[in-house]
Amino acid sequence: MGALWLFALLSFFLSLFCSIQPVYGAQHPPLDPRLTKNFIKDRSKANALPMKSKKASSFHEFARNTSDAWDIGDDEDEDFSSSSSSLQTLNSKVAKATAAQVLENHSKLRAKPERAQSALSDVPTNCKVIKSSSEAQLSRTAEEACVRTALQKQQSLPLRPVIPLVARISDQNASGAPPMTVREKTRLEKFRQLLSSHNTDLDELRKCSWPGVPREVRPVTWRLLSGYLPANMERRKLTLQRKREEYFGFIQQYYDSRNEEHHQDTYRQIHIDIPRTNPLIPLFQQPLVQEIFERILFIWAIRHPASGYVQGINDLVTPFFVVFLSEYVEEDVENFDVTNLSQDVLRSIEADSFWCMSKLLDGIQDNYTFAQPGIQKKVKALEELVSRIDEQVHNHFRKYEVEYLQFAFRWMNNLLMRELPLRCTIRLWDTYQSEPEGFSHFHLYVCAAFLIKWRKEILDEEDFQGLLMLLQNLPTIHWGNEEIGLLLAEAYRLKYMFADAPNHYRR
């Protein structure tokens, strides 16, 4: 009977390990399979090269294998035959080692029956041990079921439920907390009192909005915090009517010029970038939504010739559009069909999104002028700040010749929107609009806190390409309000320590 049990257990382990296939986890943005293949090949080659030649060509090798910051990988996927074969070889080695360990453990159990009895006591009680030799096949099935049950119990992770939809927009807590607690109801009531007063106290509204704005009052709160709406209640309706009419006056005046020769390049780039805007969210793939975005971005570019349209600005429309859409939609908006809304409602959402995005960009327009000097200054400031708060990470980048501009340019250009799910961006912008110069100044400290958040993973990578792959595909897809709250708290601590002490930037 012992031999049958041993044979069944060995067969199970061999079939288990030899059937393992490569699994590629969810990334944000999604990991390009071409990069994964090249990464496996190049890393194996790099180990055989001297360190000097590896450093000299590391950036060029990476540049050849990496698409730009806005590429969504429309080309056909390549096969993973080479990586799969190497994984199969590894699996066979693991299987052999496991089999040897099982044999050793079995010999110990035979030598010491009291240990064997103790080991059998760990088997789940619902697994029946059959001693009849005529039921060997049933015994094998039962024991395999026992092992599977034990493995499933060991591998289960009861920490917290996973957010099911990759592109979920709703601002739920990742911990699965109830949607409305007593504290949240109290906060919502306080917001409503502030917003319904004759003259809204904007300082108090900013203070209440810093830890997050309830979904029910976020649209009007964002309009007020961005400076789009006046604090006086009586003036708001007339202001909205006037600004919306003004925007559609721009449409009539400028939009037809998109086909003129001197505007064709701008319109063409906008037309290319819009389908790439949050490609995983069905809402933004609807033709009507894409037409709205085209008008918003083209009118903004025409009215701001110093910068014009720059790739990345298209992302900055999406939080405003989602927030103002939620004012008219009760369910989750990611799959909502906007054709169900009236024309007047869509026009209001479009105009409000344009004006609030314009207010945001007014504060960071030097990010998008020629040579983008604003971004270059911020990236340099980030490098100096990280060198002070975590010298080990800073030196790790220097050791493997990683330049901050190679990963932080996108963080500044897109305000971390390519690194975080949209629901997290919306929560982040609650605080940005509550902070003085939130998008231009506080964002620097958020980026520093975000970088240090991954210090363990950064220090574990020991080559240039591995570091860049990590920093461009950080695993934040399951983040929610909790993680953003902790990130903002750390950013505020850094700002408190360094913002009023500029010499702390310097070494």
Side-chain angles (χ1 to χ4, degrees):
M1 185 62 207
L4 286 174
W5 181 86
L6 178 60
F7 177 78
L9 194 58
L10 283 173
S11 300
F12 169 72
F13 275 109
L14 287 170
S15 61
L16 176 67
F17 284 104
C18 292
S19 63
I20 293 176
Q21 297 296 325
V23 177
Y24 302 95
Q27 301 286 327
H28 189 84
L31 187 62
D32 191 333
R34 295 168 297 176
L35 299 186
T36 308
K37 179 180 178 182
N38 291 331
F39 176 66
I40 295 173
K41 289 183 177 179
D42 292 346
R43 195 163 189 172
S44 62
K45 291 178 181 179
N47 291 334
L49 294 175
M51 181 60 69
K52 185 175 181 181
S53 61
K54 174 184 171 184
K55 283 188 175 182
S57 61
S58 57
F59 177 73
H60 299 290
E61 290 175 359
F62 179 79
R64 287 196 299 269
N65 299 325
T66 307
S67 54
D68 66 19
W70 300 274
D71 188 11
I72 59 172
D74 295 328
D75 298 333
E76 295 182 0
D77 295 339
E78 298 180 10
D79 61 77
F80 294 95
S81 57
S82 59
S83 58
S84 298
S85 61
S86 62
L87 285 169
Q88 292 290 352
T89 303
L90 177 62
N91 292 339
S92 63
K93 292 180 180 179
V94 174
K96 291 177 181 178
T98 306
Q101 185 65 38
V102 171
L103 288 171
E104 181 182 352
N105 292 341
H106 181 65
S107 63
K108 291 180 180 179
L109 289 174
R110 293 186 64 184
K112 297 185 178 181
E114 66 276 8
R115 291 188 183 179
Q117 184 65 31
S118 174
L120 287 174
S121 66
D122 293 334
V123 176
T125 56
N126 61 342
C127 295
K128 183 179 179 182
V129 179
I130 302 173
K131 297 182 179 180
S132 174
S133 59
S134 63
E135 300 177 343
Q137 183 64 32
L138 184 60
S139 173
R140 178 185 300 180
T141 304
E143 291 182 8
E144 287 183 1
C146 292
V147 176
R148 288 195 188 98
T149 303
L151 287 173
Q152 288 173 357
K153 287 184 177 181
Q154 291 176 2
Q155 294 173 356
S156 61
L157 298 173
L159 297 178
R160 65 185 191 185
V162 173
I163 297 173
L165 183 62
V166 169
R168 187 171 179 82
I169 296 175
S170 59
D171 53 348
Q172 64 179 5
N173 285 329
S175 62
M180 184 67 74
T181 62
V182 175
R183 180 176 177 273
E184 288 169 342
K185 289 180 180 178
T186 304
R187 291 189 69 242
L188 178 58
E189 185 60 31
K190 186 171 184 179
F191 269 95
R192 285 176 172 159
Q193 290 177 0
L194 277 170
L195 297 172
S196 62
S197 60
H198 182 70
N199 281 294
T200 300
D201 186 343
L202 294 180
D203 289 336
E204 185 65 21
L205 184 62
R206 291 188 185 95
K207 182 179 177 182
C208 292
S209 301
W210 206 100
V213 181
R215 182 181 189 271
E216 296 80 358
V217 294
R218 184 175 277 136
V220 64
T221 301
W222 276 28
R223 292 188 187 105
L224 286 165
L225 293 180
S226 66
Y228 175 44
L229 275 186
N232 186 280
M233 172 74 77
E234 295 178 354
R235 296 173 50 203
R236 291 178 192 169
K237 185 176 181 179
L238 290 175
T239 300
L240 280 177
Q241 182 180 351
R242 176 174 57 83
K243 298 297 284 185
R244 288 167 180 172
E245 290 176 355
E246 185 179 357
Y247 168 72
F248 283 100
F250 295 153
I251 296 291
Q252 294 178 356
Q253 183 177 358
Y254 299 117
Y255 193 59
D256 288 341
S257 67
R258 67 188 185 279
N259 296 319
E260 296 177 4
E261 184 177 355
H262 58 289
H263 289 153
Q264 279 185 355
D265 289 343
T266 298
Y267 180 73
R268 178 181 175 276
Q269 190 60 60
I270 292 172
H271 191 73
I272 290 172
D273 288 345
I274 284 179
R276 300 176 175 180
T277 304
N278 291 294
L280 299 178
I281 300 178
L283 172 68
F284 300 117
Q285 302 309 306
Q286 298 178 38
L288 187 56
V289 173
Q290 294 185 355
E291 290 174 11
I292 290 173
F293 279 31
E294 281 187 4
R295 288 194 292 268
I296 290 174
L297 295 171
F298 183 77
I299 297 302
W300 188 88
I302 293 298
R303 286 176 48 80
H304 296 81
S307 62
Y309 174 75
V310 177
Q311 284 183 313
I313 295 179
N314 55 306
D315 285 330
L316 306 184
V317 186
T318 56
F320 292 114
F321 184 84
V322 167
V323 167
F324 297 141
L325 176 63
S326 68
E327 195 170 14
Y328 305 95
V329 179
E330 292 183 1
E331 66 269 21
D332 293 336
V333 301
E334 54 261 34
N335 292 302
F336 181 76
D337 185 358
V338 296
T339 59
N340 294 325
L341 297 175
S342 68
Q343 187 67 24
D344 289 341
V345 167
L346 287 173
R347 286 167 63 92
S348 298
I349 294 171
E350 179 178 346
D352 293 354
S353 300
F354 169 81
W355 286 115
C356 288
M357 185 197 74
S358 298
K359 293 285 187 180
L360 184 161
L361 289 170
D362 286 347
I364 57 172
Q365 193 169 354
D366 62 340
N367 284 8
Y368 306 105
T369 55
F370 178 74
Q372 300 182 270
I375 291 180
Q376 306 234 20
K377 291 177 183 177
K378 290 182 178 69
V379 171
K380 183 63 177 175
L382 176 66
E383 180 177 358
E384 294 174 349
L385 181 58
V386 172
S387 71
R388 300 298 295 172
I389 63 179
D390 198 324
E391 190 174 5
Q392 188 177 5
V393 168
H394 179 70
N395 290 336
H396 192 71
F397 286 151
R398 294 183 64 183
K399 178 180 178 182
Y400 295 105
E401 299 180 349
V402 174
E403 299 291 338
Y404 284 75
L405 198 65
Q406 291 163 352
F407 64 88
F409 179 89
R410 189 171 74 178
W411 296 10
M412 303 300 178
N413 189 67
N414 300 78
L415 298 178
L416 286 177
M417 288 194 63
R418 295 297 174 103
E419 277 56 52
L420 298 171
L422 184 54
R423 62 181 175 272
C424 295
T425 298
I426 292 172
R427 167 63 191 91
L428 190 67
W429 285 20
D430 287 342
T431 300
Y432 279 7
Q433 296 190 86
S434 307
E435 273 281 326
E437 300 181 322
F439 292 97
S440 59
H441 185 62
F442 187 61
H443 180 67
L444 168 67
Y445 299 98
V446 172
C447 288
F450 185 66
L451 181 63
I452 302 306
K453 161 76 178 174
W454 309 102
R455 75 180 310 273
K456 181 181 182 299
E457 291 81 356
I458 290 170
L459 296 176
D460 286 343
E461 293 291 342
E462 295 184 347
D463 62 77
F464 174 87
Q465 191 167 5
L467 283 166
L468 264 292
M469 291 281 290
L470 169 68
L471 292 167
Q472 292 186 355
N473 296 279
L474 292 166
T476 62
I477 195 62
H478 297 301
W479 276 30
N481 287 350
E482 289 181 10
E483 289 81 0
I484 295 299
L486 293 171
L487 180 69
L488 289 167
E490 177 64 14
Y492 184 81
R493 184 185 72 84
L494 294 175
K495 178 191 172 188
Y496 184 80
M497 293 174 60
F498 291 96
D500 296 325
N503 287 333
H504 285 194
Y505 283 136
R506 302 183 179 90
R507 298 180 63 80

